[in-house]
Amino acid sequence: MRFSFFRAARPAGFTLVELLVVVGIIAVLIALLLPAVQKIREAANGLQCRNNLKQIGLAMQAYHDSYQTFPHAYDARALFLNPSKTPISPQGNRTLVTQSWATLILPFLEQGNLANTGYAYYHAESVPLFVCPSERRARGLYADPDGSARQALTDYLAVTGTMTFRGNPLTPWARPKCDGVIYESSRTRLADITDGTSNTMLVGERPPSLDLFWGWWSWSAFDASLGVRNTYAVYETAAEDSPVLCRSFFPENYRPGDNTNCDTHHFWSQHPGGGNWLFADGSVRFLPYQANAVLPALATRAGGEVVQEMGP
């Protein structure tokens, strides 16, 4: 008798071993691709950040064309004060609204309508050009603990020079001038920048503080301007918190952030290895942290320093 034998059909699907091999291959591919994707994303963010600064630079130049001076960092009378309640008399019974450099250039950033709304409105408005896409903090808003006020943030600060301010910060209207281009109540002209516009910085990167209490674009001092060798060693927190002493780096230096509120006292960025800087000639350059030693020379308008060519 003849018998027919049929091989049993193999069940569809993967065996456990095959499945594990496929999962392992996919994991390796993801591990290889993720750094490349992150690198491409950071390159795009860096390009957008530089473009933001270039637009700010064009606005600075347009402001200078209109007023024959660069904007000031803030009104000297408004240091650490609410700019909507700046006293204009010794008794303090009369006040006015003062402006930061960032609010002064709004009309030249196609933000004239926002500028016209006044401080009561624009202080809580986030301006995309003032936010670096590599940094997340400035995309949010600071809110007072009691919910009474909200403040929009910025990653870009005016360079006041080597120091954030000179003299006693508690003595208004009598402090010496800073040695940068944009500082309190400054009226710096292009002709005043004898170090050369290509060797003098206007704006640099510094994210808002961890608690978002510093970094408001419509305010003053550490909020919208900073010196490259700041010696203000106390970090002032919200009213209900105690001040923090920041003396680890004193005077401050251009260095990576260490994820504390004391990062507020120095320039840094979320870009790997350094940050972007706007110069007085309108150019934007990425400076690595290794350039820390030459920053004081680049921050002054008329220091007479010789700075080696750094390229575009």
Side-chain angles (χ1 to χ4, degrees):
M1 179 179 293
R2 192 171 181 180
F3 295 95
S4 297
F5 295 92
F6 298 93
R7 180 176 294 176
R10 182 178 179 181
F14 294 101
T15 66
L16 178 59
V17 173
E18 291 171 330
L19 181 61
L20 291 175
V21 170
V22 171
V23 171
I25 292 173
I26 293 174
V28 171
L29 290 174
I30 292 175
L32 292 173
L33 289 173
L34 189 58
V37 171
Q38 291 175 332
K39 190 173 183 178
I40 292 172
R41 181 182 294 117
E42 172 52 32
N45 288 342
L47 181 61
Q48 181 60 53
C49 182
R50 290 190 291 275
N51 184 64
N52 287 351
L53 284 169
K54 285 183 179 179
Q55 296 302 311
I56 291 172
L58 289 173
M60 291 278 194
Q61 296 292 340
Y63 184 96
H64 188 282
D65 289 344
S66 296
Y67 299 103
Q68 287 71 58
T69 180
F70 284 108
H72 64 225
Y74 56 92
D75 192 308
R77 295 167 293 182
L79 182 62
F80 304 134
L81 297 176
N82 185 329
S84 68
K85 300 177 181 179
T86 303
I88 58 174
S89 64
Q91 296 77 20
N93 55 359
R94 297 177 59 201
T95 61
L96 78 164
V97 176
T98 55
Q99 295 182 280
S100 72
W101 69 269
T103 63
L104 288 170
I105 67 171
L106 283 176
F108 304 97
L109 291 172
E110 298 183 352
Q111 295 284 346
N113 290 337
L114 181 61
N116 291 335
T117 62
Y119 177 83
Y121 179 80
Y122 65 57
H123 71 82
E125 286 294 308
S126 180
V127 178
L129 274 174
F130 294 158
V131 178
C132 173
S134 292
E135 203 282 310
R136 294 184 177 275
R137 296 180 200 168
R139 302 179 192 177
L141 293 171
Y142 172 82
D144 281 344
D146 60 2
S148 61
R150 294 159 66 85
Q151 297 287 344
L153 305 158
T154 183
D155 289 308
Y156 305 127
L157 273 65
V159 181
T160 60
T162 51
M163 303 286 286
T164 302
F165 51 79
R166 300 176 62 193
N168 185 349
L170 301 180
T171 305
W173 311 319
R175 287 183 292 275
K177 293 180 179 180
C178 292
D179 52 9
V181 175
I182 302 175
Y183 53 93
E184 61 174 2
S185 296
S186 62
R187 291 186 57 83
T188 307
R189 303 166 301 162
L190 279 170
D192 298 325
I193 307 176
T194 58
D195 285 349
T197 56
S198 63
N199 291 323
T200 305
M201 301 184 299
L202 294 184
V203 176
E205 291 190 77
R206 190 216 67 189
S209 59
L210 279 175
D211 59 5
L212 307 184
F213 191 62
W214 294 95
W216 308 346
W217 64 264
S218 59
W219 274 53
S220 63
F222 299 130
D223 280 293
S225 58
L226 187 66
V228 299
R229 288 293 185 268
N230 175 48
T231 57
Y232 195 70
V234 179
Y235 176 80
E236 296 286 349
T237 61
E240 66 274 13
D241 297 326
S242 299
V244 177
L245 289 177
C246 302
R247 291 187 178 274
S248 297
F249 296 87
F250 189 85
E252 269 293 357
N253 290 275
Y254 182 41
R255 59 185 176 86
D258 55 14
N259 205 38
T260 70
N261 280 327
C262 292
D263 286 336
T264 308
H265 294 330
H266 66 95
F267 284 98
W268 67 285
S269 83
Q270 293 287 3
H271 306 296
N276 294 305
W277 299 80
L278 169 67
F279 284 74
D281 64 349
S283 65
V284 176
R285 306 178 203 173
F286 181 88
L287 298 183
Y289 293 120
Q290 290 82 352
N292 172 62
V294 300
L295 246 64
L298 295 174
T300 60
R301 65 183 180 274
E305 308 94 342
V306 177
V307 181
Q308 186 176 4
E309 178 61 39
M310 297 177 299

